[in-house]
Amino acid sequence: MSLEQLEVHESHGGKLVVYRHDSVETKTPMTFSIFLPSQVAAGENLPVVWYLSGLTCTHANVTEKGDYRRACADLGLIFIAPDTSPRGETVPDDAAYDFGQGAGFYVDATEAPFAENYRMYSYITEELPALIAANFPVDMTRQSILGHSMGGHGALVIALRNPVYRAVSAFSPIVAPSQVPWGEKAFTGYLGPDRATWATYDACALIAAGHRVPDILVDQGCSDSFLSGQLKPELLRAACDTAGLPLTLRLQPGYDHSYYFISSFMDDHLRWHAARF
């Protein structure tokens, strides 16, 4: 599978590169960014950190505003940021910001007309890792995953369902999408009315069903306008407490849902991940 290089930038002694490729899963071109620290030049196979973005975002949001490159350069981490959904004129969409293009919710859709293209779960867990492993000096025995909002939901679900990830963390995650308006809308449209199917993409439901990770780190801004209506971190705390799953939930006074918040704590998260490699 060929990679088309769209951008390349020197940064902190390494390279930030943006690529596009034709995806088998989504049947569309997909774009991702990858930061390759200077240790790559020495021939080392390095750990991989996957970052999943939130509603309305592309790979570019964290790439340009996430402030992760210095920490990755210091720690020797490859950082990969994929897009949030398939895109294109022929890809089904919705007029609202919280469904359709830019809002793939990291599921494999089963409902028409979305099932043809919206296969972000398999894209993130299977296709893109295979592409990365074939083209870059990565140590796939040392992977971790984090994300923001919808991407925090995706990171938690993917880590809980796939034990290959050594660490998982999130900024302002949607922890129980089956119980909030964003998730109910997306899951109905992508997965249909069967809530048993929804539970396979719901972090709190997965924990209740016995899925485990070693521990979880979550940062949540206390001034986040979506806190009480869509994010509900208290549900994750309750699920983890019941399951005996270690959770570090840090409520950050004054912080909102933006990249001002994310960039303020990105270094902490990356160092937390690196300690688990």
Side-chain angles (χ1 to χ4, degrees), residues 219-250:
D219 273 301
Q220 172 63 62
C222 294
S223 295
D224 190 323
S225 60
F226 303 113
L227 177 57
S228 61
Q230 302 281 9
L231 305 178
K232 298 184 179 294
E234 68 276 7
L235 297 179
L236 181 64
R237 187 195 298 276
C240 288
D241 285 349
T242 299
L245 197 165
L247 167 68
T248 301
L249 173 59
R250 306 190 301 194

Side-chain angles (χ1 to χ4, degrees), residues 49-264:
V49 178
W50 303 91
Y51 179 88
L52 305 185
S53 294
L55 288 166
T56 76
C57 291
T58 70
H59 72 281
N61 296 75
V62 70
T63 302
E64 297 170 2
K65 297 184 285 188
D67 288 356
Y68 60 85
R69 289 180 293 279
R70 182 183 295 277
C72 287
D74 291 345
L75 298 167
L77 303 176
I78 290 176
F79 188 101
I80 302 170
D83 203 347
T84 55
S85 78
R87 298 180 191 270
E89 292 183 0
T90 63
V91 176
D93 199 7
D94 189 84
Y97 76 95
D98 57 357
F99 189 66
Q101 295 188 37
F105 268 82
Y106 304 101
V107 304
D108 283 348
T110 57
E111 298 297 296
F114 301 99
E116 179 76 5
N117 305 111
Y118 284 76
R119 295 187 52 80
M120 290 301 296
Y121 179 85
S122 289
Y123 175 74
I124 296 296
T125 61
E126 298 176 17
E127 183 178 5
L128 188 55
L131 182 67
I132 295 299
N135 287 278
F136 299 98
V138 293
D139 180 354
M140 298 302 278
T141 68
R142 293 186 291 167
Q143 299 183 69
S144 70
I145 191 165
L146 72 158
H148 170 233
S149 193
M150 178 185 73
H153 140 72
L156 291 170
V157 166
I158 286 171
L160 285 162
R161 290 178 57 176
N162 298 274
V164 299
Y165 302 94
R166 297 244 192 131
V168 58
S169 70
F171 303 99
S172 310
I174 307 170
V175 302
S178 300
Q179 301 182 53
V180 298
W182 276 342
E184 290 175 335
K185 177 179 179 178
F187 285 3
T188 299
Y190 295 139
L191 303 173
D194 184 358
R195 285 181 172 262
T197 302
W198 295 13
T200 63
Y201 294 105
D202 184 305
C204 288
L206 288 168
I207 292 169
H211 292 260
R212 296 290 182 267
V213 291
D215 53 2
I216 299 171
L217 171 63
V218 170
D219 273 301
Q220 172 63 62
C222 294
S223 295
D224 190 323
S225 60
F226 303 113
L227 177 57
S228 61
Q230 302 281 9
L231 305 178
K232 298 184 179 294
E234 68 276 7
L235 297 179
L236 181 64
R237 187 195 298 276
C240 288
D241 285 349
T242 299
L245 197 165
L247 167 68
T248 301
L249 173 59
R250 306 190 301 194
L251 301 176
Q252 305 290 0
Y255 284 92
D256 58 17
H257 201 70
S258 73
Y259 270 87
Y260 296 110
F261 162 61
I262 297 166
S263 63
S264 297

